Amino acid sequence: MSLITGSEGVGKRSLVVGALREETIIWCRFCDKAEPLLLEEICQQIRSRLGLYIPRTVLTLQLLFDWLFDIGDKAQFVLVFESFDDLVRKDPELVRFIATRWKAGRRTLRIHLVILSTNMAQTRAAFEAEGAPMLGFPDQRIDLMPFTAQELRSILESANPQATGEDLLAFFMATGGMPEAVSMLLRDDICTKDAILRALVTRTSSIYRRAEHLCSVVRGRNSEVYLSILQLIAQGAKSQAEIETRLGGMVVGGHLAKLENEFQVLTKMRPVLAEPGSRNVVRYQINDLSLDFWFRYIEANRPMVVLGHEDALYDIVEADFAVYGTEIMRRWFLRRFAEENRFDSLGGDWRFSVQTAQSNRQNVFVHKAHARTTKITTVYELDIVAIDNKHKKALIADVEMTPENFEKGPFLDRVSALKKGPLKGYTIDSRLFTLADM
């Protein structure tokens, strides 16, 4: 048994097809299809690829897999379960049946069972949690990840040796390093900032259709609420309180939890130096960058999209590139430092980003140019705080598109406050990262 996990579009299916192309494969995809249709689809593969007669009594998926495991002592083939997390969620009884049959026959079966799973919560429920039906079953596990920052840069430079920092930023903005999205751009020879931004707003482009497909996972009776939440997050409303205010006081805690745990399109973030379990400083971030772009620009300008005003939409994106690009750059550098694995803690610090006008003035600084203007005094946020506890070192950095946008005084005041506070005794490296550093 091989378990392959990873986000949508990371290449699980391509890995199996490429690695096992010489094998006889029976493919079972457990999503978006009623059981009778899925049953017939699998039976057709068995007849054509294994040349076997299927008894007429096989009328359900459970009976089919029972029969497959019976013949697995003699017939050699690869059995692929794609979207296995959907099966765990929809039919846990069938999962337990498969686990029981596999456990009973795994020493004699000539079947290579390959399981592809996207949702980590469902994966843990089936393979890792106490009492999980398949706990300890996989003989190998592969956790597929997006391309690293360095790999993404090398890929772009191979396709476009004259690539600029803006080209790389747009490339990362459109793909987030996801192999599926990267291959779509390269296949269409889209390697420059201008071409990438135009592809992102063009309804016929493959990168646009990919984001549209990812958007389709946000479904259900309250799908309009989920879509509204994602649009607000993409446009800068990062906290639950901000989102609820923008939605007229609607309580969205359950929706946020579902978007994070079931749909897996959000990640909950806390400041690096926040107290464990603190809730009032939690922010949310859309995981897939192309989906983040979709909700920031496509959903927010739906009438323009419907009317086919792609040039006007491109102008909006181009005009906002410096602002939105700064946020994407921050995610780029955080990704890069995470991949270097030099730090125990890594993230930003916005613990004091909202204070009342009566707050202690020594903790109040001029807010950054890209901070949302409110009637409340805001504090200069730190984009990157990376801590190495073993060596008592820390990297504190600001991320700006150009050096001209850097507010040196407020930044150094925040660094000084950390030196006197939670990072007292640490050697601190203060840095400014700009587009040139990508």
Side-chain angles (χ1 to χ4, degrees):
M1 181 187 291
S2 298
L3 173 62
I4 305 176
T5 69
S7 303
E8 181 77 21
V10 79
K12 299 185 293 295
R13 189 184 304 115
S14 298
L15 173 62
V16 174
V17 172
L20 304 176
R21 63 167 58 93
E22 302 299 327
E23 306 291 334
T24 301
I25 300 178
I26 306 299
W27 203 285
C28 314
R29 189 168 186 262
F30 297 110
C31 65
D32 304 325
K33 194 164 288 188
E35 180 172 335
L37 297 180
L38 178 57
L39 181 67
E40 179 56 29
E41 181 181 285
I42 300 171
C43 288
Q44 287 179 357
Q45 295 181 63
I46 294 170
R47 295 187 195 101
S48 63
R49 296 172 188 174
L50 294 178
L52 296 175
Y53 168 78
I54 302 171
R56 293 182 180 180
T57 54
V58 175
L59 300 175
T60 66
L61 286 177
Q62 180 170 317
L63 290 171
L64 177 63
F65 293 135
D66 191 36
W67 176 77
L68 273 176
F69 288 140
D70 279 340
I71 67 168
D73 288 337
K74 300 174 183 176
Q76 180 173 316
F77 56 93
V78 176
L79 182 60
V80 177
F81 287 167
E82 185 181 359
S83 302
F84 189 71
D85 41 302
D86 271 25
L87 186 66
V88 175
R89 178 172 54 88
K90 295 176 182 177
D91 196 345
E93 285 298 323
L94 181 54
V95 172
R96 282 191 285 271
F97 173 79
I98 292 171
T100 300
R101 289 293 276 116
W102 183 262
K103 183 177 182 179
R106 61 186 300 185
R107 300 302 176 192
T108 57
L109 291 174
R110 303 178 68 197
I111 299 172
H112 182 184
L113 180 56
V114 180
I115 296 177
L116 313 185
S117 188
T118 299
N119 187 295
M120 290 310 299
Q122 302 296 351
T123 302
R124 285 190 289 270
F127 295 94
E128 300 172 10
E130 184 177 353
M134 293 188 174
L135 180 65
F137 281 17
D139 298 290
Q140 65 172 342
R141 174 168 177 166
I142 301 172
D143 298 311
L144 287 182
M145 303 295 289
F147 290 124
T148 66
Q150 186 57 46
E151 286 169 341
L152 199 63
R153 175 180 172 176
S154 298
I155 290 169
L156 178 62
E157 289 177 339
S158 295
N160 177 16
Q162 286 76 45
T164 66
E166 284 194 333
D167 295 334
L168 180 57
L169 178 57
F171 199 58
F172 181 63
M173 180 186 297
T175 67
M178 297 303 291
E180 180 182 58
V182 170
S183 66
M184 286 176 175
L185 292 181
L186 297 183
R187 184 179 62 225
D188 297 331
D189 196 26
I190 298 174
C191 304
T192 63
K193 170 199 164 187
D194 180 72
I196 292 169
L197 296 187
R198 289 194 179 278
L200 286 169
V201 300
T202 301
R203 298 177 71 179
T204 56
S205 74
S206 56
I207 198 73
Y208 180 101
R209 292 196 298 271
R210 176 182 182 271
E212 192 171 36
H213 167 70
L214 290 175
C215 185
S216 70
V217 305
V218 185
R219 56 189 182 271
R221 289 184 301 171
N222 296 316
S223 61
E224 70 280 357
V225 179
Y226 296 126
L227 296 175
S228 298
I229 290 172
L230 291 172
Q231 183 175 324
L232 288 173
I233 292 173
Q235 293 178 330
K238 304 293 187 183
S239 71
Q240 181 175 336
E242 288 180 281
I243 295 167
E244 291 179 342
T245 299
R246 295 284 295 277
L247 291 177
M250 176 185 292
V251 178
V252 299
H255 297 85
L256 288 167
K258 195 168 184 178
L259 285 167
E260 179 189 4
N261 300 317
E262 183 174 329
F263 297 142
Q264 291 195 301
V265 296
L266 291 184
T267 293
K268 184 187 298 180
M269 303 180 298
R270 287 185 175 86
V272 168
L273 298 169
E275 293 294 326
S278 55
R279 300 179 62 184
N280 61 332
V281 291
V282 167
R283 289 182 175 179
Y284 291 88
Q285 176 178 278
I286 297 176
N287 297 329
D288 191 285
L289 286 185
S290 60
L291 195 61
D292 190 74
F293 181 96
W294 174 276
F295 281 103
R296 185 180 179 94
Y297 298 109
I298 306 301
E299 284 295 331
N301 297 281
R302 178 56 60 184
M304 194 177 293
V305 174
V306 172
L307 294 173
H309 296 166
E310 293 173 356
D311 288 342
L313 185 54
Y314 168 81
D315 290 340
I316 291 174
V317 174
E318 169 62 30
D320 195 43
F321 185 77
V323 175
Y324 185 53
T326 301
E327 169 62 20
I328 301 304
M329 281 176 58
R330 185 188 69 82
R331 293 177 68 164
W332 165 273
F333 284 109
L334 284 172
R335 166 88 65 90
R336 210 175 80 180
F337 290 128
E339 290 161 355
E340 292 176 1
N341 200 29
R342 293 189 290 128
F343 302 102
D344 305 306
S345 303
L346 177 65
D349 185 20
W350 58 87
R351 290 170 300 145
F352 312 108
S353 62
V354 178
Q355 297 189 355
T356 62
Q358 289 76 35
S359 296
N360 186 348
R361 297 301 298 177
Q362 69 178 359
N363 287 329
V364 179
F365 302 94
V366 178
H367 64 77
K368 298 185 73 170
H370 53 72
R372 190 164 65 88
T373 303
T374 69
K375 294 181 180 180
I376 303 173
T377 305
T378 57
V379 178
Y380 195 92
E381 297 181 9
L382 296 175
D383 290 324
I384 298 175
V385 178
I387 302 173
D388 177 359
N389 290 313
K390 180 179 179 180
H391 300 98
K392 290 285 186 177
K393 293 181 179 180
L395 168 67
I396 302 178
D398 193 58
V399 178
E400 300 292 350
M401 190 69 73
T402 64
E404 289 74 23
N405 295 333
F406 180 47
E407 298 179 50
K408 185 176 181 179
F411 171 77
L412 292 179
D413 286 340
R414 287 287 283 119
V415 173
S416 178
L418 291 182
K419 283 183 178 180
K420 298 174 183 176
L423 295 181
K424 186 176 181 179
Y426 281 68
T427 301
I428 296 180
D429 180 14
S430 305
R431 300 284 297 277
L432 167 64
F433 293 118
T434 68
L435 190 64
D437 296 301
M438 286 188 69

